[in-house]
């Protein structure tokens, strides 16, 4: 499926707003035509010595306020379509990243993903809100106006129809070039975002090894490449705007004015019709010029969408079986049988012929040097990865036959670097059990000996923690994370 077609598919839930914006655009053009007709008639009557000001009064009292209201409504519809499309796309992207799991996220740079999910989706606002409706209007309005002009003079309409194809042909040439340059720009911006976030996250390490200056030079080089790509994009955009304006003017205004003068001289049209033809040529050029001004945004949005679709096209490494089950397990023992795991398509071994069994109530410690495969065992238990060889079972059921949601509800993980989200202590605990009561929260905290610590906080369980909240020590964060795991009422790994 082509990129443009996939972009159209994204509007499935918001097409009513896009159609509304296009329909209002047609109504606005109809009012502009009515205004042009009144102006042409007034000028024609003035030249004939029969000026009637009531036509001007009708235009300023009726048409101008109505057109202003329709313009406001069209903008509102455009923003609604763009906003809802962005919301749906972000939900889809976030859900897909959850499905891909840590296995994919560990292989991608966080800064590049954040740039795609934030700036990339934002770039589509102009595409769906302005470029897409204007594209339809830019193609349809000149043809409709040619039909109206034919009612006054068919020869002028025929001449305009001959020159109109020059405009979309030039747009197609420019679009291809703009899209290529936009893709380079988004690639450079994504690399700089990833490099910047990596530097912020590893700032302590950079300072410890005195690599801050070298890292700054690397970022400066990437920033320079981004500047060059940005200026190249802007230069092509300015050239395209000039070219589109020139072609639009040549294909509409110049032709219409020349034909109007000739037909007036031959007596085929009146003074009023000549003025109307001249002014209508401006209305024909207006949607094409507006389309040219949005072309840069459209190409930029398409380039950002290309990266988004690349992520959405990635299939999760771990697939849930079509007949996955959620069994009732009375003895949740875990068994590894001759398990082998290797990362990077089998090129980086992590586990080799590992076998063990953990029975209910047992406390087991996996001890080994860094890189021995301890974290890999945890990743296999949660099915973030599947082993290349061997069998892993829970309560006698192979993990590959179990529902992923059910499986991950049965276990709790307390990582070495625990994380508290912005919110209260109670809200962080409820991540494990959203329906938990206050009594259950306190019971879990007492089991992990963290209840007194929480009660000693300024507002107890209602204390704000996490980003912009009360700063806690690493040990306190770890204790709250353990209480959260206990609240889940599942074995802790």
């Amino acid at each position: 499926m082509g990129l443009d077609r996939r972009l159209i598919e994204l509007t499935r839930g918001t097409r009513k707003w896009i159609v509304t914006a296009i329909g209002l655009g047609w109504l606005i053009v109809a009012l502009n035509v009515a205004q042009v007709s009144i102006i042409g008639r007034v000028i024609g009557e003035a030249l004939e010595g029969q000026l009637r000001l009531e036509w001007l009064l009708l235009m300023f009292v009726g048409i101008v306020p109505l057109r202003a209201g329709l313009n406001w409504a069209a903008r509102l519809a455009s923003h609604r379509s763009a906003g809802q499309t962005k919301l749906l796309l972000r939900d889809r992207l976030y859900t897909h990243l959850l499905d891909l799991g840590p296995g994919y996220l560990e292989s991608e740079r966080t800064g590049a993903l954040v740039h795609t999910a934030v700036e990339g989706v934002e770039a589509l606002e102009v595409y769906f809100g302005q470029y897409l409706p204007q594209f339809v209007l830019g193609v349809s309005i000149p043809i409709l106006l040619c039909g109206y002009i034919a009612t006054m003079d068919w020869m002028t309409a025929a001449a305009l129809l001959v020159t109109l194809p020059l405009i979309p042909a030039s747009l197609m040439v420019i679009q291809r070039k703009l899209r290529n340059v936009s893709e380079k720009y988004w690639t450079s911006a994504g690399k700089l975002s990833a490099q910047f976030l990596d530097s912020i996250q590893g700032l302590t390490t950079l300072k410890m090894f005195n690599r801050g200056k070298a890292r700054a030079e690397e970022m400066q080089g990437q920033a320079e490449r981004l500047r060059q790509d940005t200026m190249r994009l802007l230069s092509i955009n300015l050239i395209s705007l000039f070219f589109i304006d020139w072609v639009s003017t040549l294909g509409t205004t110049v032709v219409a004015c020349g034909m109007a003068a000739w037909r007036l001289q031959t007596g085929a049209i009146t003074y009023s019709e000549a003025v109307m033809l001249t002014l209508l040529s401006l209305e024909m050029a207006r949607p094409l010029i507006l389309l040219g001004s949005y072309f840069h945004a459209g190409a930029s949005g398409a380039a950002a969408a290309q990266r988004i679709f690349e992520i959405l096209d990635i299939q999760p490494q771990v697939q849930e079986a079509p007949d996955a089950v959620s069994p009732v397990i009375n003895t949740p023992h875990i068994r590894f049988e001759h398990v082998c795991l290797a990362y990077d398509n089998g090129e980086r071994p992590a586990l080799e012929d590992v076998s063990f069994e953990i029975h209910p109530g047992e406390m087991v410690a996996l001890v080994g040097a860094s890189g021995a495969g301890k974290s890999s065992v945890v990743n296999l238990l949660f099915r973030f990865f599947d082993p290349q060889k061997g069998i892993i079972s829970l309560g006698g059921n192979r993990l590959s036959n179990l529902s992923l949601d059910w499986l991950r509800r049965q276990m709790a993980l307390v990582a070495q670097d625990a994380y508290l989200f912005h919110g209260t202590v109670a809200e962080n605990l409820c991540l494990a059990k959203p329906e938990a009561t206050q009594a259950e929260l306190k019971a879990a905290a007492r089991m992990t000996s963290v209840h007194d610590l929480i009660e000693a906080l300024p507002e107890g369980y209602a204390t704000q923690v996490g980003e912009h909240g009360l700063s806690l020590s690493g040990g306190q964060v770890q204790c709250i994370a353990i209480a959260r795991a206990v609240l889940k009422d599942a074995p802790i790994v």
Side-chain angles (χ1 to χ4, degrees):
M1 186 184 296
L3 177 61
D4 293 330
R5 186 175 177 183
R6 295 191 68 175
L7 284 168
I8 298 299
E9 287 294 322
L10 290 178
T11 64
R12 183 170 298 177
T14 60
R15 288 177 185 173
K16 62 179 181 180
W17 293 109
I18 296 178
V19 172
T20 300
I22 295 172
L24 290 173
W26 285 332
L27 289 177
I28 292 170
V29 172
L31 291 177
N32 289 340
V33 171
Q35 180 175 307
V36 166
S37 300
I38 291 175
I39 293 175
R41 183 164 184 171
V42 169
I43 293 176
E45 291 178 351
L47 292 174
E48 296 173 357
Q50 300 177 359
L51 180 61
R52 297 171 59 186
L53 295 179
E54 59 266 22
W55 290 108
L56 292 177
L57 181 63
L58 173 64
M59 182 179 71
F60 286 107
V61 173
I63 295 178
V64 173
L66 181 58
R67 187 178 60 184
L70 291 178
N71 273 308
W72 173 82
R75 285 297 182 91
L76 179 62
S78 297
H79 285 301
R80 285 287 181 88
S81 65
Q84 290 187 13
T85 302
K86 289 195 304 180
L87 182 63
L88 293 173
L89 183 57
R90 279 207 174 100
D91 286 344
R92 182 179 170 186
L93 186 60
Y94 176 71
T95 302
H96 188 68
L97 288 174
L98 289 179
D99 292 338
L100 292 176
Y104 169 76
L105 299 178
E106 289 177 0
S107 64
E108 291 289 324
R109 302 181 71 178
T110 304
L113 289 175
V114 171
H115 182 263
T116 300
V118 178
E119 297 297 332
V121 176
E122 285 296 325
L124 292 174
E125 178 176 8
V126 180
Y127 184 92
F128 291 111
Q130 296 177 337
Y131 171 75
L132 191 58
Q134 191 60 45
F135 181 82
V136 177
L137 293 174
V139 172
S140 60
I141 287 176
I143 297 176
L144 294 175
L145 288 179
C146 278
Y148 179 72
I149 291 174
T151 62
M152 291 182 288
D153 183 39
W154 68 270
M155 290 189 66
T156 302
L160 289 171
L161 282 175
V162 171
T163 59
L164 280 180
L166 296 175
I167 300 171
S170 63
L171 292 178
M172 290 178 64
V173 174
I174 295 170
Q175 182 185 37
R176 188 177 297 109
K177 183 64 176 178
L178 264 178
R179 184 168 293 184
N180 292 335
V181 177
S182 296
E183 289 177 357
K184 293 181 180 179
Y185 163 79
W186 279 102
T187 300
S188 297
K191 287 182 179 179
L192 182 60
S193 297
Q195 203 171 40
F196 179 76
L197 186 57
D198 289 346
S199 301
I200 294 297
Q201 291 175 332
L203 187 60
T204 303
T205 303
L206 291 173
K207 297 299 291 182
M208 286 174 58
F209 291 93
N210 197 29
R211 295 294 298 172
K213 185 176 181 180
R215 186 67 171 181
E217 292 175 353
E218 293 177 9
M219 291 184 62
Q220 184 177 2
Q222 183 59 42
E224 175 61 21
R225 284 189 288 272
L226 177 60
R227 184 194 68 81
Q228 293 175 359
D229 290 337
T230 302
M231 297 308 297
R232 189 178 298 110
L233 179 62
L234 292 176
S235 63
I236 293 178
N237 181 51
L238 290 175
I239 293 173
S240 65
L241 285 176
F242 171 78
F243 184 68
I244 291 172
D245 290 352
W246 181 78
V247 173
S248 300
T249 303
L250 179 64
T252 57
T253 306
V254 174
V255 173
C257 290
M259 289 296 297
W262 175 56
R263 298 294 284 171
L264 178 63
Q265 186 178 11
T266 60
I269 58 175
T270 63
Y271 281 110
S272 296
E273 291 173 335
V275 173
M276 291 172 60
L277 289 176
T278 303
L279 295 178
L280 285 174
S281 67
L282 299 176
E283 291 299 323
M284 292 183 67
R286 191 193 311 277
L288 296 171
I289 293 174
L290 285 176
L291 178 59
S293 65
Y294 295 140
F295 230 67
H296 161 255
S300 181
Q306 182 68 41
R307 174 56 180 158
I308 293 173
F309 288 134
E310 288 176 0
I311 297 176
L312 294 176
D313 289 339
I314 297 174
Q315 296 299 317
Q317 297 182 24
V318 175
Q319 298 283 350
E320 184 173 275
D323 55 348
V325 297
S326 303
V328 176
I329 299 178
N330 297 321
T331 55
H333 62 282
I334 297 171
R335 175 178 295 172
F336 276 56
E337 301 179 51
H338 307 290
V339 172
C340 299
L341 174 67
Y343 300 107
D344 299 334
N345 297 321
E347 297 181 0
R348 186 161 57 93
L351 298 174
E352 184 68 31
D353 195 22
V354 174
S355 299
F356 63 87
E357 188 169 0
I358 303 176
H359 296 280
E362 287 187 334
M363 183 177 295
V364 177
L366 298 179
V367 181
S370 178
K374 302 183 296 297
S375 298
S376 297
V377 171
V378 175
N379 289 333
L380 290 174
L381 279 175
F382 282 90
R383 279 202 75 195
F384 296 151
F385 300 95
D386 280 335
Q388 282 79 29
K389 296 180 181 179
I391 299 174
I392 306 174
S393 59
L394 174 64
N397 298 272
R398 295 186 62 163
L399 293 192
S400 57
N401 296 331
L402 300 176
S403 165
L404 287 175
D405 288 340
W406 179 89
L407 172 65
R408 291 164 185 170
R409 283 199 302 267
Q410 308 310 307
M411 293 179 285
L413 174 65
V414 181
Q416 182 177 355
D417 297 321
Y419 186 82
L420 294 182
F421 292 90
H422 176 70
T424 65
V425 174
E427 289 171 343
N428 272 273
L429 292 174
C430 285
L431 288 174
K433 190 176 181 180
E435 71 280 5
T437 63
Q438 188 70 16
E440 289 177 313
L441 298 182
K442 293 183 177 180
R446 288 191 178 95
M447 288 181 63
T448 55
S449 302
V450 75
H451 173 71
D452 293 338
L453 167 66
I454 297 175
E455 288 289 352
L457 296 176
E459 298 180 50
Y461 285 82
T463 301
Q464 290 282 337
V465 293
E467 189 177 6
H468 304 304
L470 182 65
S471 178
L472 301 177
S473 67
Q476 292 171 329
V477 172
Q478 195 77 14
C479 289
I480 294 176
I482 295 173
R484 182 165 57 196
V486 169
L487 184 65
K488 191 175 182 180
D489 193 23
I492 302 175
V493 294

